[in-house]
Amino acid sequence: GEDVEQSLFLSVREGDSSVINCTYTDSSSTYLYWYKQEPGAGLQLLTYIFSNMDMKQDQRLTVLLNKKDKHLSLRIADTQTGDSAIYFCADSGFGNEKLTFGTGTRLTIIP
Amino acid sequence: GAVVSQHPSWVICKSGTSVKIECRSLDFQATTMFWYRQFPKQSLMLMATSNEGSKATYEQGVEKDKFLINHASLTLSTLTVTSAHPEDSSFYICSAQDRPKGETQYFGPGTRLLVL
């Protein structure tokens, strides 16, 4: 089946940029997503990218997609304490029938 | 827009009882809703996909008779954990799509279940 992998932890100093990486195996994925989960809460959709795009920017967020290497990244510029959370990448597979989530990356902000 | 609510937000029950969790799309009609389960410090695992007016599609390894899903209307899906046991304790999250195979799933805030 499909597999989505992420590193488990990332620590970044406040004000620096955070880059969270994700690799996936399903080459037929139509969309790839980034979700944010704060403690005890559900998932907040941050952004998503269509598979025929290389990059998408939305305010402080930049998504890069390397379809050849099946690599997705999320860059958060000017990281703030409120960005502390777990970040999940997910892929839709072909046809958007269901999402496969990565393991999640816990982002910790160092003051 | 695109708000999904869940009720209750947390529930504690005795082993052997049944618990019902509701998932509602508040400002849109959800043709498809999904139920996920999340263990502490782990990722989300899809349990089942439900389409309004039809039977849910369960993922491999998920017991249909234990986790009953009803998607009776375009704004409500329910998950009933029957004869709950301590190993069913988990965080249950639903999501909804506003159109079939739409590109976005909107997630509810989750329901934490603790079975004693």
Side-chain angles (χ1 to χ4, degrees), chain B:
Chain B
V3 178
V4 176
S5 70
Q6 282 184 242
H7 179 80
S9 55
W10 60 270
V11 56
I12 303 173
C13 69
K14 291 183 180 180
S15 188
T17 60
S18 294
V19 174
K20 180 184 282 189
I21 302 170
E22 292 185 349
C23 177
R24 292 182 186 273
S25 56
L26 298 185
D27 51 2
F28 66 99
Q29 292 188 328
T31 54
T32 306
M33 287 183 167
F34 303 85
W35 286 96
Y36 295 85
R37 185 173 180 177
Q38 185 180 32
F39 290 106
K41 299 185 180 181
Q42 293 190 26
S43 188
L44 280 74
M45 299 302 294
L46 180 65
M47 298 174 68
T49 302
S50 77
N51 292 292
E52 186 264 338
S54 62
K55 289 185 179 180
T57 303
Y58 289 81
E59 294 299 300
Q60 195 170 10
V62 178
E63 297 175 61
K64 300 178 184 182
D65 295 333
K66 181 163 189 62
F67 299 100
L68 300 179
I69 292 172
N70 186 312
H71 193 158
S73 77
L74 283 171
T75 58
L76 174 64
S77 176
T78 60
L79 168 68
T80 301
V81 183
T82 62
S83 186
H85 286 96
E87 57 265 30
D88 298 324
S89 299
S90 190
F91 193 50
Y92 293 87
I93 307 177
C94 72
S95 70
Q97 284 178 324
D98 56 3
R99 61 184 187 280
K101 301 184 182 181
E103 72 270 17
T104 305
Q105 285 188 29
Y106 302 97
F107 281 79
T111 297
R112 189 163 300 281
L113 170 64
L114 176 61
V115 185
L116 301 176

Side-chain angles (χ1 to χ4, degrees), chain A residues 5-82:
Chain A
E5 297 284 342
Q6 299 175 239
S7 53
L8 292 179
F9 303 100
L10 177 66
S11 295
V12 172
R13 290 203 177 277
E14 189 174 0
D16 288 350
S17 292
S18 306
V19 179
I20 304 170
N21 294 300
C22 171
T23 58
Y24 60 99
T25 59
D26 188 354
S27 58
S28 67
S29 293
T30 307
Y31 292 97
L32 293 130
Y33 302 83
W34 285 103
Y35 284 89
K36 177 183 180 182
Q37 186 179 37
E38 299 189 45
L43 270 68
Q44 174 192 352
L45 176 64
L46 290 177
T47 186
Y48 64 94
I49 187 167
F50 187 51
S51 58
N52 69 354
M53 296 172 64
D54 298 324
M55 186 182 88
K56 181 178 180 180
Q57 189 156 0
D58 184 1
Q59 299 184 330
R60 292 193 297 128
L61 305 179
T62 303
V63 178
L64 295 178
L65 174 60
N66 182 328
K67 201 173 178 182
K68 173 176 168 291
D69 294 339
K70 300 192 192 71
H71 182 267
L72 181 74
S73 68
L74 173 69
R75 178 177 178 270
I76 305 173
D78 188 24
T79 310
Q80 303 297 310
T81 54

